[in-house]
Amino acid sequence: MSPTAEPTVVVVPGLRDHVADHWQTLLAERLAEAGRAVRTVPPAEGNRLRLDVQVGNLAATLAPLDGPVLLVAHSAGVITTVHWARRHRADVCGALLATPPDFEAPLPDGYPTPAELAENGWTPVPRTPLPFPSLVAASADDPLAAPERVAGLARSWGSRLVELGAVGHLNPASGHGAWPSAEELIRMLESGSARLGVTRTGGRP
């Protein structure tokens, strides 16, 4: 991709509020400091557990942007992204999809139940190929999704699987803040090298 066509990076958080030490927050700050165009989908107003609220919020963030965009989604933001891709179109040159949760299996205590997720439109999770290149970054010990389930989603979406090792859910609760590998994976998407296969990244983020 030529420098003049550098995409706007659009950060798609999960269901959380703003967290200062989350890797998505830190990534957006680093990219902005480097002169990149960055937008972050803000926390949804109203019932944020409603899928249509989350998809609408992503669509509203993308609507005013000109030129190509690159999506960087985490957790429930990944599921929002794949649902959005079934309903909408934009000039998306790629998507980094980090640690998607398995919304079709029971989650740990404190998370929505399968029934609540179904009632709010999250399931079934789309399994059609995405219309843009994508990387699915998977953790070996994610409490919200078994590795084989994430690998199956990656295959269904036509995504390249990136194995991160044991990084939990790749969030501050798992002991992780900055994730420098995210920028490497963004460059991979921008260069067009995100093809089917498996990539392994070593060690902690």
Side-chain angles (χ1 to χ4, degrees):
M1 177 175 298
S2 68
T4 57
E6 196 169 60
T8 299
V9 175
V10 176
V11 177
V12 190
L15 299 177
R16 61 179 171 83
D17 288 315
H18 175 84
V19 177
D21 56 350
H22 193 283
W23 67 265
Q24 286 183 304
T25 306
L26 299 172
L27 173 69
E29 292 172 353
R30 287 198 306 273
L31 293 176
E33 289 170 359
R36 291 292 300 262
V38 184
R39 300 290 184 274
T40 297
V41 179
E45 298 180 1
N47 183 5
R48 69 179 60 184
L49 191 57
R50 288 289 308 170
L51 172 69
D52 55 359
V53 171
Q54 297 293 336
V55 169
N57 214 24
L58 173 54
T61 301
L62 292 171
L65 301 180
D66 293 324
V69 298
L70 191 148
L71 305 175
V72 178
H74 175 250
S75 192
V78 175
I79 311 303
T80 296
T81 298
V82 297
H83 277 286
W84 169 86
R86 292 191 65 189
R87 308 179 186 183
H88 301 275
R89 287 291 179 268
D91 185 7
V92 178
C93 67
L96 173 56
L97 309 173
T99 57
D102 184 359
F103 276 175
E104 296 175 340
L107 299 173
D109 291 343
Y111 289 90
T113 66
E116 289 173 325
L117 291 167
E119 289 167 3
N120 283 279
W122 294 91
T123 57
V125 173
R127 283 174 168 76
T128 51
L130 293 170
F132 40 76
S134 56
L135 298 171
V136 169
S139 170
D141 63 347
D142 191 341
L144 302 190
E148 62 271 15
R149 294 282 291 179
V150 176
L153 291 173
R155 286 192 298 271
S156 296
W157 298 335
S159 306
R160 181 170 184 166
L161 182 67
V162 180
E163 296 180 347
L164 304 178
V167 297
H169 195 53
L170 196 63
N171 59 1
S174 299
H176 302 298
W179 181 32
S181 294
E183 292 170 76
E184 175 186 348
L185 297 174
I186 286 172
R187 288 192 294 270
M188 183 183 295
L189 286 161
E190 291 177 329
S191 70
S193 60
R195 300 184 180 90
L196 285 174
V198 177
T199 297
R200 293 176 176 85
T201 64
R204 293 171 61 86

